Amino acid sequence: MDYSWMVVGVGVALEGYVYIGRRSRAEVVFVNIDEAVRRFYTSHLESLGFRYHVRGKRIVSYMLEFAEELRRRICTTSGVKRLPPESHMYAREAVRWAFTLDGGVVLSRDPKSREVVFRSKSVEIIEDVGALLRAVGISYGIRGNGTLLYIKRREDLGKFAEIGFLEGAKAVRGRHRGREKNDLLRLLLSHP
């Protein structure tokens, strides 16, 4: 149960939102186009017993109790989204899921520019993902005004590869669009 809350909480914190309005109107939205990612997310919604609808690339639940509980888990009192507390109980799995959603592999021709990255507009989310990486023993750097976290050292890339991305998840943009992220990670590691 806590694991499913971690999956749903990280998913909505990174690629969605929670809305609670007047007259018990509520909406929890997760937005993603990758089929493997969508199947994984919805399987955990189902295991928690929450109904949902698929509306294009959006997966939406209108259940008030779900919205209230999720907001309690991922939103601070000032409304800033954070990763749910369950993510620390499942640090490896939370790293895999977070990087599957908002991370990727940079395969540059220049060996010095090859890395695994995680992007977020939220400095708080970057801090949370950094804490998870520290918990699993992976060193990282931050650049881009605090919005890009990267793993570059060979030893740390090897540790990350032991965790990897969600099986079947694909790159959705860039020149490697449509390729499985784990294949790109293996390619990155095969270069000296």
Side-chain angles (χ1 to χ4, degrees), residues 138-157:
I138 297 176
S139 297
Y140 61 91
I142 295 176
R143 64 177 182 261
N145 294 328
T147 61
L148 183 124
L149 183 150
Y150 63 91
I151 303 168
K152 192 180 271 299
R153 286 185 26 214
R154 195 91 179 141
E155 175 186 340
D156 295 311
L157 288 168

Side-chain angles (χ1 to χ4, degrees), residues 83-150:
L83 296 186
E86 295 83 8
S87 60
H88 297 286
M89 294 169 48
Y90 302 98
R92 288 176 62 84
E93 292 84 359
V95 165
R96 176 182 298 117
W97 184 224
F99 274 81
T100 295
L101 294 173
D102 284 345
V105 177
V106 177
L107 287 172
S108 172
R109 285 174 177 60
D110 178 5
K112 293 178 184 175
S113 298
R114 295 180 188 142
E115 59 194 2
V116 171
V117 297
F118 175 86
R119 287 183 172 85
S120 177
K121 293 178 183 175
S122 166
V123 173
E124 292 82 7
I125 293 290
I126 293 288
E127 290 171 2
D128 290 348
V129 171
L132 292 173
L133 287 172
R134 285 191 303 277
V136 298
I138 297 176
S139 297
Y140 61 91
I142 295 176
R143 64 177 182 261
N145 294 328
T147 61
L148 183 124
L149 183 150
Y150 63 91

Side-chain angles (χ1 to χ4, degrees), residues 13-157:
L14 298 183
E15 297 194 345
Y17 64 87
V18 177
Y19 169 79
I20 300 174
R22 294 187 185 149
R23 291 186 228 135
S24 300
R25 184 170 182 270
E27 191 174 80
V28 175
V29 177
F30 174 74
V31 183
N32 195 288
I33 60 171
D34 185 283
E35 285 305 314
V37 167
R38 291 162 66 90
R39 277 192 307 274
F40 185 70
Y41 176 82
T42 56
S43 72
H44 288 281
L45 268 183
E46 290 166 2
S47 75
L48 291 169
F50 297 120
R51 294 181 314 275
Y52 62 89
H53 304 278
V54 176
R55 306 268 193 259
K57 61 183 179 178
R58 299 165 25 119
I59 298 168
V60 184
S61 176
Y62 299 106
M63 298 179 71
L64 178 62
E65 66 201 54
F66 174 38
E68 289 174 337
E69 181 62 24
L70 191 57
R71 179 158 57 175
R72 185 185 70 71
R73 290 173 189 257
I74 68 169
C75 294
T76 65
T77 53
S78 61
V80 174
K81 288 194 288 185
R82 302 298 298 246
L83 296 186
E86 295 83 8
S87 60
H88 297 286
M89 294 169 48
Y90 302 98
R92 288 176 62 84
E93 292 84 359
V95 165
R96 176 182 298 117
W97 184 224
F99 274 81
T100 295
L101 294 173
D102 284 345
V105 177
V106 177
L107 287 172
S108 172
R109 285 174 177 60
D110 178 5
K112 293 178 184 175
S113 298
R114 295 180 188 142
E115 59 194 2
V116 171
V117 297
F118 175 86
R119 287 183 172 85
S120 177
K121 293 178 183 175
S122 166
V123 173
E124 292 82 7
I125 293 290
I126 293 288
E127 290 171 2
D128 290 348
V129 171
L132 292 173
L133 287 172
R134 285 191 303 277
V136 298
I138 297 176
S139 297
Y140 61 91
I142 295 176
R143 64 177 182 261
N145 294 328
T147 61
L148 183 124
L149 183 150
Y150 63 91
I151 303 168
K152 192 180 271 299
R153 286 185 26 214
R154 195 91 179 141
E155 175 186 340
D156 295 311
L157 288 168

